[in-house]
């Protein structure tokens, strides 16, 4: 399982830039379900702070990239490096800044 | 035109008779509610009302808001379910009429709740604004608002809220590292006892089935915090301060839960934070008996009602499996692969079957707990929590 995921990471990082559509789906699902476990399904926060565009505005990509890749030691924010590489993380950040979660558009 | 109207006039008594007859037919289908339950469909903001005797889905109730991390308690007559949503929504559902009776949005962000011993009050644990709110169970009217204030006017998120005997509620303050004991003997004069310095970042708690011990798991340090509700004057004690000290802690991708009856005989089974282990604690001396190696970081560790087996599910990236611990051997005796994203498990009232929600497969699986055979598969949209009405009679659930 781990090896599989790692392989996937390498495979996609080799191509660099934007993840392919299949990987994009996986990353969206990761964002919704696994980040959502702490930041909320609608990203309005939970154990972790809200990740809505307003909340992240003014934070640099570099800072967000480091937080997601390395986690924040001493807090509940874990490092995601084993599962998402830097390019994929940048794509995730773009998603976070650009879009409201789907379930919010339905009015929740 | 006129003629048609006349014929409608004539048919009115007939229609009434028909309705009357239909009403009688409905009454003929009187049923109890002891084998009912609800399944949360987190993304859809809906719940399924299910029935365990025939393993079937009876109805869907919609428009319940954001149900990520939702949990449920039941009225003591087992007719109503109270659903606590992430968005602060508190919804009361009539399980016999398949409908939403009442819904209040009482906070910006909440994590769960409890129902009082006498069934009269519902307490909700809130993250935002941090604190506990108490409502009447019949009309959901606000009775008390108790902000979780600590330090210089800071507010803490509240976790691990349970009901306890003597019309009390107990809960933990994640940010403050405190446990509060709320006495509702006189609802117009609620008394609060606060215990501070109980350990860093309590993340969830369990109450032993007899209602005596409140055990809070700590995220910010090793060990657990223990409050003896028979002797609150003795204060909160720290147990197992040394657990996991020598093991390298892994990053935690999903917070473990302590809720569920993970107590059997003198033993309590709890998830280790950041380790692939289930801890077995001897409750007579409050010391570690064993740490059982398991397939991932445990999330729910739940005892079958007869206490013979412990079922465990896991955090990302190991959440496609479930393991069963044999209580006599204190080791894993079975590994099942229900599917991708196993989020929750619930035993039928006497434990002959277990229902398991598999989020990414959009399914609920029902297993026989003796033969481990799959008995049924039911469709559900991203199912998470499963809750049966038998919880109504259990303290702390």
């Amino acid at each position: 399982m781990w090896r599989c995921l790692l392989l996937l990471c390498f495979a996609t990082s080799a191509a660099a830039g934007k993840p392919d559509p299949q990987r994009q789906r996986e990353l969206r699902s990761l964002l919704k379900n696994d980040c959502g476990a702490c930041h909320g399904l609608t990203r309005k926060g939970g154990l972790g702070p809200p990740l809505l565009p307003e909340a992240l505005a003014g934070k640099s990509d570099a800072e967000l990239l480091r937080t997601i890749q390395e986690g924040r030691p001493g807090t509940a924010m874990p490092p995601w490096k084993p599962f998402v590489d830097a390019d994929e993380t940048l794509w995730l950040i773009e998603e976070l800044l650009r879009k409201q979660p789907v379930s919010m558009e339905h009015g929740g | 035109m006129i003629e048609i109207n006349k014929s409608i006039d004539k048919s009115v008594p007939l229609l009434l008779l028909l309705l009357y007859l239909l009403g009688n037919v409905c009454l003929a289908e009187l049923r109890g509610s002891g084998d009912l339950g609800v399944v949360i469909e987190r993304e859809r903001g809906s719940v399924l009302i299910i029935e365990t005797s025939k393993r079937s889905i009876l109805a869907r109730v919609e428009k319940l808001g954001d149900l990520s991390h939702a949990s449920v308690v039941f009225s003591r007559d087992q007719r109503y379910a109270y659903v606590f949503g992430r968005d602060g929504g508190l919804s009361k559902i009539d399980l016999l009429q398949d409908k939403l009776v009442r819904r209040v949005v009482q906070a910006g962000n909440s994590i769960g709740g409890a129902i009082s011993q006498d069934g009269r009050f519902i307490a909700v644990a809130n993250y935002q604004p941090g604190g506990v709110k108490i409502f009447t169970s019949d009309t959901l009217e606000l009775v008390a608002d108790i902000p979780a204030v600590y330090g210089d006017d800071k507010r803490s998120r509240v976790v691990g809220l349970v009901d306890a005997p003597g019309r009390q509620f107990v809960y933990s303050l994640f940010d403050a590292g405190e446990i509060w004991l709320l006495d509702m003997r006189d609802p117009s004069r609620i008394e609060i006892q606060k215990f501070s310095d109980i350990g860093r970042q309590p993340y969830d708690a369990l109450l032993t089935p007899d209602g005596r011990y409140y055990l809070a798991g700590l995220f910010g340090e090793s060990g657990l915090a223990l409050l003896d509700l028979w002797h609150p004057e003795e204060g909160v004690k720290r147990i197992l301060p040394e657990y996991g000290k020598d093991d390298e802690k892994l990053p935690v991708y999903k917070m473990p839960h302590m809720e569920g009856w993970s107590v059997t005989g003198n033993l309590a089974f709890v998830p280790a934070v950041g380790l692939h282990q289930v801890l077995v604690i001897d409750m007579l001396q409050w010391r570690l008996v064993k740490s059982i190696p398991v397939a991932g970081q445990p999330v729910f560790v739940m005892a079958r009602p007869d206490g013979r087996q412990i079922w465990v599910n896991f955090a990302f990236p190991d959440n496609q499996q479930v393991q069963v611990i044999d209580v006599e051997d204190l080791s894993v005796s079975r590994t099942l692969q229900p599917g991708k994203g196993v989020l929750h498990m619930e035993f039928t009232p006497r434990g002959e079957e277990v229902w398991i929600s598999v989020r990414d497969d959009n399914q609920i699986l029902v297993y026989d707990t003796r033969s481990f055979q799959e008995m049924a598969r039911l469709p559900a949209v991203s199912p998470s929590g499963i809750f049966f009405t038998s919880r109504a009679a259990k303290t702390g659930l």
Side-chain angles (χ1 to χ4, degrees), chain B residues 173-251:
Chain B
L173 277 57
F174 179 86
D175 305 287
E178 295 184 7
I179 291 175
W180 290 15
L181 175 57
L182 224 145
D183 193 331
M184 298 275 298
R185 213 170 342 191
D186 176 0
S188 62
R189 268 192 44 244
I190 297 172
E191 282 169 42
I192 307 171
Q193 216 175 324
K194 301 176 186 176
F195 303 88
S196 49
D197 290 325
I198 62 113
R200 282 187 54 215
Q201 298 176 322
Y203 65 87
D204 198 11
L206 73 83
L207 191 74
T208 52
D210 58 7
R212 175 165 181 182
Y213 296 105
Y214 180 81
L215 194 59
L218 300 175
F219 183 76
E221 58 188 284
S222 292
L224 298 116
L226 175 72
L227 177 63
D228 180 353
L229 295 175
W230 289 10
H231 295 288
E233 74 282 356
E234 287 176 6
V236 172
K237 293 185 193 111
R238 190 75 60 80
I239 62 163
L240 273 52
E242 73 296 341
Y243 102 72
K245 265 226 170 99
D246 306 327
D247 303 275
E248 197 191 333
K249 286 224 171 148
L250 305 164

Side-chain angles (χ1 to χ4, degrees), chain B residues 39-105:
Chain B
V39 177
I40 305 287
E41 294 183 309
R42 57 205 292 271
E43 282 172 45
R44 234 170 160 268
S46 53
V47 303
L48 298 176
I49 299 177
I50 60 88
E51 171 271 337
T52 52
S53 300
K54 297 199 202 95
R55 306 184 196 104
S56 64
I57 294 169
L58 301 178
R60 175 178 272 133
V61 180
E62 316 218 52
K63 298 211 169 59
L64 304 177
D66 177 356
L67 294 185
S68 48
H69 208 288
S71 63
V72 177
V73 299
F74 296 94
S75 62
R76 68 200 240 138
D77 62 6
Q78 303 189 334
R79 174 167 176 181
Y80 298 101
Y82 300 89
V83 182
F84 307 100
R86 168 64 93 185
D87 57 2
L90 166 58
S91 308
K92 179 177 180 177
I93 289 165
D94 186 340
L95 299 175
L96 294 178
Q97 299 196 63
D98 309 336
K99 67 174 191 203
L100 179 63
V101 180
R102 207 172 152 72
R103 175 174 155 82
V104 293
V105 176

